[in-house]
Amino acid sequence: MKSAAFPVEADLRPPPTCGQLFSGFLMLGLTAFGGALPLARRMVVEKHRWLSGPEFTDLLGLCQFLPGGNIINLSVALGMKFRGPRGALAALLGLILAPSAIVVMLGMVYDRFQNDPHVQHLFAGLAAAAAGLLISMAVKIGLPVLQRRDWLSGVVALACFVAIAVLRVPLLPTMAVLTPLSILLVWRRRQ
């Protein structure tokens, strides 16, 4: 049974052009303030069908391990995958062009009105919406792991969550321990 949310290889469209990468990430940059990853997944997997759900999850995992912003890393990696350096540049520029201009303008407005209680409430609401989008993405990425009954991935993800969210261990030491451990566990399982 096929699902529109999880296209399989045969359902994927041809690789995007540089123009499609630019326009796709431009729209993402314009609509995804505070929560680009859930919308990026929807755009790449569900709307344009450039990648399958598992391919997106694998690419996102690599992008989260690399230094820098996950969505920026994802735009560059996706552009490189389909169109090389030109595609990476097109996707990156599409992603950051409009939001950069908007953030500069918002920064100027905030600098002038930062003590206004209405503005403070607005930013509190935006933070809550961003948290909701992040939880939504975690559920969408976690469901395939549960459906595959991949207990090993679940244990590593749970360990990462506990280390960072509960024990407040910094990201770098957590990744320095869990990344080699997860690679070793997967390698041993495939032997």
Side-chain angles (χ1 to χ4, degrees), residues 95-117:
L95 180 67
I96 66 172
L97 190 64
S100 295
I102 291 169
V103 166
V104 168
M105 288 187 284
L106 283 176
M108 292 174 4
V109 170
Y110 182 74
D111 186 47
R112 178 156 168 85
F113 298 106
Q114 66 186 339
N115 294 323
D116 184 336

Side-chain angles (χ1 to χ4, degrees), residues 79-80 83-90:
M80 281 295 291
R83 297 292 170 192
R86 288 182 57 218
L89 185 61

Side-chain angles (χ1 to χ4, degrees), residues 67-140:
N70 295 337
I71 188 63
I72 290 175
N73 292 344
L74 183 68
S75 70
V76 171
L78 198 64
M80 281 295 291
K81 174 179 176 61
F82 291 122
R83 297 292 170 192
R86 288 182 57 218
L89 185 61
L92 179 64
L93 286 177
L95 180 67
I96 66 172
L97 190 64
S100 295
I102 291 169
V103 166
V104 168
M105 288 187 284
L106 283 176
M108 292 174 4
V109 170
Y110 182 74
D111 186 47
R112 178 156 168 85
F113 298 106
Q114 66 186 339
N115 294 323
D116 184 336
H118 294 39
V119 172
Q120 292 172 347
H121 286 109
L122 172 73
F123 279 97
L126 289 173
L133 287 170
L134 187 61
I135 291 168
S136 167
M137 184 195 65
V139 168
K140 280 189 175 184

Side-chain angles (χ1 to χ4, degrees), residues 1 14 16-17 32 46 48 52 71 83 113 118 120 127 133 137 141 155 160 176 182-183 187 189:
M1 176 166 87
T17 64
E46 298 169 18
H48 294 299
S52 67
I71 188 63
R83 297 292 170 192
F113 298 106
H118 294 39
Q120 292 172 347
L133 287 170
M137 184 195 65
I141 289 177
V155 168
C160 185
S182 63
I183 291 170
W187 177 77
R189 183 170 58 179

Side-chain angles (χ1 to χ4, degrees), residues 6-171:
F6 302 105
V8 293
E9 297 290 331
D11 293 335
L12 297 179
R13 293 185 181 156
T17 64
C18 287
Q20 290 170 324
L21 287 166
F22 178 83
S23 64
F25 278 98
L26 178 68
M27 290 309 298
L28 181 66
L30 284 170
T31 59
F33 265 72
L37 286 173
L39 297 176
R41 186 190 182 287
R42 186 177 305 134
M43 177 192 75
V44 171
V45 175
E46 298 169 18
K47 181 179 177 189
H48 294 299
R49 295 190 322 235
W50 293 337
L51 296 175
S52 67
E55 287 175 321
F56 180 86
T57 301
D58 290 345
L59 188 60
L60 178 61
L62 171 65
C63 293
Q64 288 177 328
F65 181 70
L66 297 172
N70 295 337
I71 188 63
I72 290 175
N73 292 344
L74 183 68
S75 70
V76 171
L78 198 64
M80 281 295 291
K81 174 179 176 61
F82 291 122
R83 297 292 170 192
R86 288 182 57 218
L89 185 61
L92 179 64
L93 286 177
L95 180 67
I96 66 172
L97 190 64
S100 295
I102 291 169
V103 166
V104 168
M105 288 187 284
L106 283 176
M108 292 174 4
V109 170
Y110 182 74
D111 186 47
R112 178 156 168 85
F113 298 106
Q114 66 186 339
N115 294 323
D116 184 336
H118 294 39
V119 172
Q120 292 172 347
H121 286 109
L122 172 73
F123 279 97
L126 289 173
L133 287 170
L134 187 61
I135 291 168
S136 167
M137 184 195 65
V139 168
K140 280 189 175 184
I141 289 177
L143 281 178
V145 172
L146 293 174
Q147 290 171 346
R148 286 192 318 244
R149 299 188 195 284
D150 186 355
W151 67 270
L152 189 58
S153 296
V155 168
V156 171
L158 182 63
C160 185
F161 173 78
V162 168
I164 294 171
V166 177
L167 301 176
R168 303 283 189 215
V169 177
L171 178 63

